[in-house]
């Protein structure tokens, strides 16, 4: 894992020093892209990708300053180039009519790629018109995810700004070895389903030094996530960091070895949440460490909810089959905006076990907050405020 960043840094240095390196440079302007914000540059971007992909050298696709109107684009793998650096100094802009992007699942999608890095750049998905459509309950499209990586490995996303996504901002699905660093995500606090970063079926993903302000989960973690490291993220507005919703399916891969560290939640709905449908499933959550996190005015700072059953549809009378074990909350402090700051609502069929609270200090209106427990076994160490209810 230590090798790749070194190579990336080398690429960037070589690219910047303009040395006669083996990096082959493709500027999107050469392929006919127009930085005027109104000429459709989709074809130019796809051609730049095809050219880079077919080159045996390390390659860079360069997007100079300016605004580029682009529609839905799928960048396919199977490339000859071992490393493709996409260096963006400009902004990619979605079509003004939300139905154009909304007809697709994704705006920018990378499928089966290896060694792709995105450095810098802004993505403006023009989501607000679609959010307004959804709010007025007419027949609106679901909307497109802004940036998706599927079945890919050795991916870097560095210093990107994603604005106003129609749906999820970034999705990492079926990937290995992904580093997201210094990313900023911005959407309105009431925008529907605009999750910041969604990870699932992926191994060795790091999300570091990033800021996420959005209308749904800042980071959502789906089945099959393993070795996920989240550190120094600022979250809020938004719904917090959530493992789940799990137990959507009977047959589901587990979530294991997740760390969330030095992260701040400001005015969010949840802080650190694990959530599963009240439905049978063979999935699990195992080995999660939440440490050194600050809550400012968070509705539900610590929550395990295994009774998720919105509108009582598809689950009445059922209980969750997800087994939750070995979850540590250490150094979690700050304020709750509701009286119950710590809530463990676990499954009667598969109680939560190995829950550990250590140095937790959460208050409500400068007073003691409360804890709530059902079907949970755990221990509390050192200062734990509110008192645990194990
Ligand atoms: C690959 O790099 C070599 C060495 O710098 C260069 O001579 C060659 O032209 C490059 N190939 C392409 C297709 O750009
Ligand atoms: C857990 O994941 C971290 C990276 O997030 C990794 O460094 C560590 O080795 C993993 N632990 C196990 C037991 O796989
Ligand atoms: C717990 O937090 C409250 C409110 O922020 C603070 O006044 C108190 O000193 C903290 N207690 C400890 C032991 O840190």
């Amino acid at each position: 894992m230590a090798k790749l960043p070194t190579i990336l840094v080398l690429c960037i240095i070589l690219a910047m020093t303009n040395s006669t390196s083996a990096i082959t440079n493709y500027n999107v302007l050469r392929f006919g892209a127009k930085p005027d914000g109104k000429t459709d540059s989709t074809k130019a971007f796809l051609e730049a990708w095809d050219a880079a992909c077919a080159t045996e050298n390390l390659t860079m696709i360069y997007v100079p300053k300016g605004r580029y109107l682009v529609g839905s684009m799928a960048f396919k793998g199977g490339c000859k180039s071992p490393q493709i650096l996409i260096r963006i100094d400009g902004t990619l802009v979605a079509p003004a009519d939300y139905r154009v992007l909304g007809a697709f699942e994704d705006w920018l999608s990378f499928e089966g790629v290896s060694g792709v890095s995105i450095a810098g750049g802004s993505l403006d998905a023009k989501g607000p018109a679609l959010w307004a459509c959804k709010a007025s309950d007419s027949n609106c499209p679901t909307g497109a995810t802004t940036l998706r990586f599927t079945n890919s490995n050795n991916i870097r996303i560095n210093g990107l700004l994603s604005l106003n996504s129609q749906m999820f901002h970034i999705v990492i699905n079926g990937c290995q070895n992904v580093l997201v660093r210094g990313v900023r995500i911005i959407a309105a606090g009431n925008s529907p389903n605009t999750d910041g970063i969604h990870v699932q079926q992926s191994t060795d993903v790091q999300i570091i030094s990033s800021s996420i302000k959005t209308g749904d989960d800042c980071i959502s973690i789906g089945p099959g996530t393993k070795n996920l490291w989240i550190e120094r993220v600022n979250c809020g507005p938004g719904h917090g960091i959530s493992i789940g919703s799990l137990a959507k399916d009977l047959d589901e891969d587990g979530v294991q070895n997740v760390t969330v560290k030095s992260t701040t939640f400001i005015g969010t709905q949840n802080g650190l949440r694990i959530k599963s449908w009240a439905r049978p499933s063979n999935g699990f959550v195992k080995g999660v460490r939440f440490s050194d996190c600050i809550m400012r005015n968070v509705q539900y700072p610590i929550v395990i909810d295994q009774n998720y059953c919105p509108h009582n549809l598809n689950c009445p009378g059922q209980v969750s089959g997800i087994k939750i074990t070995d979850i540590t909350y250490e150094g979690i402090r700050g304020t709750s905006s509701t009286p119950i700051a710590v809530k463990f609502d676990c499954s009667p069929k598969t109680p939560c076990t190995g829950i550990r609270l250590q140095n937790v200090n959460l208050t409500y209106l400068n007073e003691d907050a409360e804890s709530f427990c059902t079907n949970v076994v755990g221990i509390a160490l050192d200062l734990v405020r509110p008192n645990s209810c194990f």
Side-chain angles (χ1 to χ4, degrees):
M1 263 178 78
K3 238 174 182 169
L4 270 153
T6 323
I7 291 172
L8 172 59
V9 166
L10 236 143
C11 285
I12 294 171
I13 291 168
L14 289 173
M16 290 195 311
T17 52
N18 241 351
S19 69
T20 51
S21 67
I23 294 180
T24 307
N25 194 336
Y26 295 100
N27 186 323
V28 292
L29 299 182
R30 250 179 56 203
F31 294 86
K34 293 276 182 295
D36 61 7
K38 36 182 211 259
T39 309
D40 188 338
S41 297
T42 309
K43 196 161 157 277
F45 275 73
L46 289 172
E47 285 177 6
W49 172 265
D50 287 345
C53 182
T55 303
E56 277 176 17
N57 291 339
L58 305 183
T59 53
M60 175 165 87
I61 296 171
Y62 181 58
V63 182
K65 280 209 174 78
R67 293 172 70 78
Y68 300 84
L69 175 65
V70 290
S72 176
M73 303 194 281
F75 303 104
K76 300 266 163 76
C79 295
K80 288 193 179 144
S81 178
Q83 298 255 331
I84 301 178
L85 170 63
I86 305 174
R87 160 127 205 106
I88 311 177
D89 285 336
T91 300
L92 275 53
V93 188
D97 180 349
Y98 61 77
R99 286 169 301 190
V100 177
L101 264 199
F104 295 87
E105 198 170 334
D106 306 306
W107 184 19
L108 312 175
S109 148
F110 291 82
E111 297 166 28
V113 302
S114 177
V116 169
S117 303
I118 298 177
S122 304
L123 308 175
D124 181 354
K126 301 256 184 235
L130 176 60
W131 309 338
C133 173
K134 288 180 174 179
S136 68
D137 191 65
S138 31
N139 215 354
C140 324
T142 307
T145 286
T146 290
L147 174 62
R148 183 189 303 264
F149 281 89
T150 312
N151 300 336
S152 297
N153 57 60
N154 303 331
I155 304 304
R156 302 288 175 263
I157 305 172
N158 204 332
L160 181 76
L161 168 66
S162 177
L163 274 176
N164 294 332
S165 189
Q166 289 192 339
M167 280 284 288
F168 292 12
H169 286 260
I170 298 176
V171 171
I172 294 160
N173 187 359
C175 297
Q176 280 79 46
N177 191 16
V178 178
L179 173 63
V180 178
R181 183 197 285 270
V183 161
R184 281 181 305 145
I185 289 172
I186 303 176
N190 62 357
S191 55
N193 302 113
T194 53
D195 293 41
I197 303 175
H198 178 76
V199 180
Q200 68 174 41
Q201 301 297 146
S202 295
T203 304
D204 297 324
V205 177
Q206 296 180 58
I207 301 170
I208 299 186
S209 301
S210 293
S211 151
I212 304 172
K213 303 171 196 251
T214 193
D216 207 299
D217 295 334
C218 288
I219 299 174
S220 52
I221 299 157
T225 301
K226 198 173 160 186
N227 305 351
L228 170 63
W229 188 277
I230 297 168
E231 186 171 352
R232 291 192 305 278
V233 169
N234 282 330
C235 166
H239 292 183
I241 293 182
S242 188
I243 296 177
S245 307
L246 303 174
K248 220 175 244 153
D249 297 313
L250 183 59
D251 201 13
E252 205 176 79
D253 288 329
V255 172
Q256 58 187 307
N257 189 16
V258 174
T259 301
V260 179
K261 207 180 154 173
S262 307
T263 284
T264 301
F265 299 84
I266 301 172
T268 51
Q269 182 193 73
N270 307 285
L272 305 162
R273 175 170 66 170
I274 300 174
K275 175 180 166 193
S276 78
W277 288 78
R279 287 215 295 249
S281 174
N282 62 2
F284 61 87
V285 181
K286 168 168 97 181
V288 179
R289 193 180 156 90
F290 297 117
S291 75
D292 191 25
C293 295
I294 296 173
M295 306 285 165
R296 296 219 175 98
N297 219 26
V298 172
Q299 282 179 51
Y300 309 107
I302 290 178
V303 55
I304 296 180
D305 173 11
Q306 292 206 260
N307 280 305
Y308 183 61
C309 190
H311 316 298
N312 259 331
L313 281 173
N314 303 323
C315 26
Q318 302 188 64
V319 297
S320 182
I322 300 282
K323 176 76 188 153
I324 299 176
T325 53
D326 186 17
I327 316 291
T328 297
Y329 303 84
E330 187 185 351
I332 314 296
R333 56 206 189 275
T335 56
S336 173
S337 66
T338 67
I340 298 180
V342 178
K343 181 172 177 178
F344 299 120
D345 183 3
C346 296
S347 169
K349 180 159 172 279
T350 53
C352 300
T353 56
I355 309 297
R356 182 180 154 123
L357 292 165
Q358 183 165 15
N359 284 320
V360 170
N361 185 8
L362 295 165
T363 55
Y364 166 62
L365 301 176
N366 283 325
E367 311 263 327
D368 283 343
E370 291 163 44
S371 298
F372 172 93
C373 293
T374 40
N375 307 311
V376 56
V377 181
I379 53 167
L381 298 169
D382 304 330
L383 170 91
V384 171
R385 226 182 129 196
N387 285 332
S388 88
C389 47
F390 296 138

